Amino acid sequence: MDTTAERQVRLEGVERVLKMSQERIKIAMIIPKLLEHPEKLKSVLKDTCYEEVLEPIDDMIRHLGKQSGRSKLPHDHTTMRIVDFFLVNHSIHRFFPHLKKNLHERDRQLLAAFHFLLESAHVHLHRSSRSEITKERKLHAIYHQNVDIKKKIKELKASLAFQKVIGKWKTAAKGIYLMKVEEDLANKKWQNNVAIQNEIEKCHRTMRNYHKSSMDRQKELEEELQNARESYEKMTKKHLAEEHELRNEKNKLLLQLQSMLKKYDTSLGEKMRENLVAEDQYLAAKKVLDDFMVQYRQEERIYKNIVVKREEEERRVQQEKLVIFMMNRAAGKIQKYWRKWKKDQRKRKRQGKGKGKKGK
């Protein structure tokens, strides 16, 4: 079994334990009300697979009949046996749906909290890292797009403000210049009437030219402002359309996720039943395997005994062959050195005899 399958089995085991705990909490909440009316409880459980608890209930009724002065249930073995039976067979609460509806508000809140805990555990246990990473990436991309849009809007606002300030400064500069010209004309009027008249005409022409250029420049600025405003509106509409498309895609993905969750919930019961059948088959196969392993170990011991004896015999034969080989090799080397030594002795004797004859 690989890591993924093992993890899936463990998650299913955790969910099974949580669901069993929820069922036991339900039966535990209605046990006191069930034991308050034992006769009604007997009539409901009669002719069902839970009839074995009827005998302890009769003992409890007889015990309560003997102690007429007491209305509370005794804390004895019979009562604990009944309670344990209900906790083990927690599906009995399905026979008493009206008791579950009449629970106290605190008990209903506890059941709702446990149900929420079970759903949260299911979602957290079965979520995949790939889907979470994909969601985070999409949100990160949308965030960056919004940051870029805000940055562009800020730049456009700064540009518009700068253009307005420049226009104001130019208008103020033109006003100051006109005032200076008028002052110069007034001073020169006293000096020369003709020159004043000529200068007045010249100033009027200059003023008309400046006014015309000012109006042209103002018109150009208004056109630029209108173009900037139109481009800003186009970008705003485009971004709103993109945001609408992303929102629709998000809603579509949410609907797909809800449908997948519903489909998973419907198939979960079938998978659990298949898992239970597979577990029964696994236990049966395991029992057959255990029986086979017992016989296999017996045969293995016999086989190992035979193999060990045979290996020891082969080792002994090889050891004997090795000893014989070493002895033969040693004998051959000794004979070789002996023959060489005899040969050297004979050679030395011949050399000694030859030197004696030369001396004579």
Side-chain angles (χ1 to χ4, degrees), residues 63-72:
H63 183 78
L64 292 175
K66 291 179 182 179
Q67 299 180 358
S68 58
R70 295 176 60 188
S71 60
K72 294 184 178 181

Side-chain angles (χ1 to χ4, degrees), residues 31 36 49 115 121 130 143 177 228:
I31 283 176
E36 286 178 1
C49 58
H115 181 70
R130 182 177 297 176
Y143 171 76
Y177 179 74

Side-chain angles (χ1 to χ4, degrees), residues 245-295:
E245 292 178 358
L246 291 173
R247 195 171 294 166
N248 291 333
E249 185 178 357
K250 179 184 176 182
N251 294 330
K252 188 186 294 182
L253 291 173
L254 287 174
L255 292 174
Q256 292 178 359
L257 177 62
Q258 291 177 358
S259 63
M260 291 175 67
L261 288 174
K262 290 180 180 179
K263 184 177 179 182
Y264 178 78
D265 291 336
T266 54
S267 62
L268 181 61
E270 297 179 358
K271 294 296 182 181
M272 290 182 66
R273 288 193 292 272
E274 293 177 359
N275 187 24
L276 293 174
V277 173
E279 286 182 357
D280 295 337
Q281 294 176 356
Y282 168 74
L283 293 174
K286 184 179 179 183
K287 184 177 180 182
V288 173
L289 179 63
D290 293 339
D291 296 337
F292 172 74
M293 289 302 294
V294 172
Q295 185 178 359

Side-chain angles (χ1 to χ4, degrees), residues 108-350:
R108 286 199 295 269
Q109 289 178 359
L110 178 61
L111 287 177
F114 204 89
H115 181 70
F116 177 74
L117 175 63
L118 184 61
E119 289 183 350
S120 299
H122 176 76
V123 172
H124 284 288
L125 290 174
H126 290 276
R127 65 180 181 180
S128 62
S129 59
R130 182 177 297 176
S131 63
E132 293 296 324
I133 292 172
T134 303
K135 293 178 182 178
E136 290 294 333
R137 286 178 177 174
K138 289 183 178 179
L139 291 174
H140 190 67
I142 293 171
Y143 171 76
H144 281 293
Q145 289 178 359
N146 290 332
V147 171
D148 294 337
I149 291 169
K150 290 179 180 178
K151 187 177 179 182
K152 290 179 181 178
I153 292 172
K154 188 176 180 181
E155 291 176 354
L156 288 173
K157 288 182 178 179
S159 177
L160 290 174
F162 181 71
Q163 293 293 335
K164 288 180 180 179
V165 171
I166 291 175
K168 289 180 180 179
W169 276 105
K170 286 183 178 180
T171 304
K174 290 175 183 177
I176 293 170
Y177 179 74
L178 290 173
M179 290 174 65
K180 184 178 179 182
V181 171
E182 289 175 355
E183 289 178 358
D184 292 338
L185 288 173
N187 292 327
K188 288 180 181 181
K189 184 178 179 180
W190 297 95
Q191 298 175 3
N192 194 351
N193 291 329
V194 177
I196 290 172
Q197 193 66 33
N198 294 331
E199 289 295 330
I200 288 172
E201 292 178 358
K202 186 178 179 180
C203 282
H204 280 300
R205 287 195 299 271
T206 305
M207 288 174 64
R208 284 195 296 271
N209 292 329
Y210 277 116
H211 181 70
K212 183 179 179 182
S213 62
S214 176
M215 294 299 294
D216 293 338
R217 183 58 182 167
Q218 186 176 359
K219 187 176 180 181
E220 290 178 0
L221 290 174
E222 288 178 354
E223 290 178 354
E224 290 179 1
L225 178 62
Q226 185 66 25
N227 293 330
R229 192 172 292 164
E230 290 176 357
S231 62
Y232 170 73
E233 290 177 355
K234 288 180 181 179
M235 290 178 65
T236 304
K237 291 179 181 179
K238 181 180 179 182
H239 293 153
L240 288 174
E242 291 178 355
E243 184 179 359
H244 183 68
E245 292 178 358
L246 291 173
R247 195 171 294 166
N248 291 333
E249 185 178 357
K250 179 184 176 182
N251 294 330
K252 188 186 294 182
L253 291 173
L254 287 174
L255 292 174
Q256 292 178 359
L257 177 62
Q258 291 177 358
S259 63
M260 291 175 67
L261 288 174
K262 290 180 180 179
K263 184 177 179 182
Y264 178 78
D265 291 336
T266 54
S267 62
L268 181 61
E270 297 179 358
K271 294 296 182 181
M272 290 182 66
R273 288 193 292 272
E274 293 177 359
N275 187 24
L276 293 174
V277 173
E279 286 182 357
D280 295 337
Q281 294 176 356
Y282 168 74
L283 293 174
K286 184 179 179 183
K287 184 177 180 182
V288 173
L289 179 63
D290 293 339
D291 296 337
F292 172 74
M293 289 302 294
V294 172
Q295 185 178 359
Y296 172 76
R297 290 190 183 96
Q298 294 177 357
E299 296 293 335
E300 188 180 14
R301 284 196 297 270
I302 297 171
Y303 172 76
K304 285 183 177 179
N305 291 331
I306 296 171
V307 170
V308 168
K309 290 179 181 179
R310 184 172 181 181
E311 287 179 352
E312 290 178 353
E313 182 65 24
E314 289 179 354
R315 197 180 295 112
R316 185 183 60 79
V317 172
Q318 290 178 359
Q319 191 68 25
E320 290 178 356
K321 290 181 179 180
L322 181 63
V323 170
I324 293 170
F325 172 75
M326 292 173 64
M327 292 174 66
N328 291 333
R329 188 175 180 182
K333 286 186 175 294
I334 291 169
Q335 290 177 2
K336 181 179 179 180
Y337 286 122
W338 171 256
R339 286 193 293 270
K340 185 178 179 182
W341 182 77
K342 291 293 288 181
K343 185 177 181 181
D344 292 340
Q345 289 293 328
R346 287 195 295 270
K347 188 175 181 180
R348 288 176 184 173
K349 286 182 180 181
R350 287 197 296 269

Side-chain angles (χ1 to χ4, degrees), residues 95-106:
F95 291 100
F96 305 95
H98 61 284
L99 294 179
K100 292 189 291 183
K101 293 179 181 179
N102 297 328
L103 289 174
H104 295 292
E105 183 64 25
R106 187 175 180 181

Side-chain angles (χ1 to χ4, degrees), residues 12 21-22 40 69 153 272 352:
E12 291 176 356
S21 301
Q22 185 183 19
K40 186 177 180 180
I153 292 172
M272 290 182 66

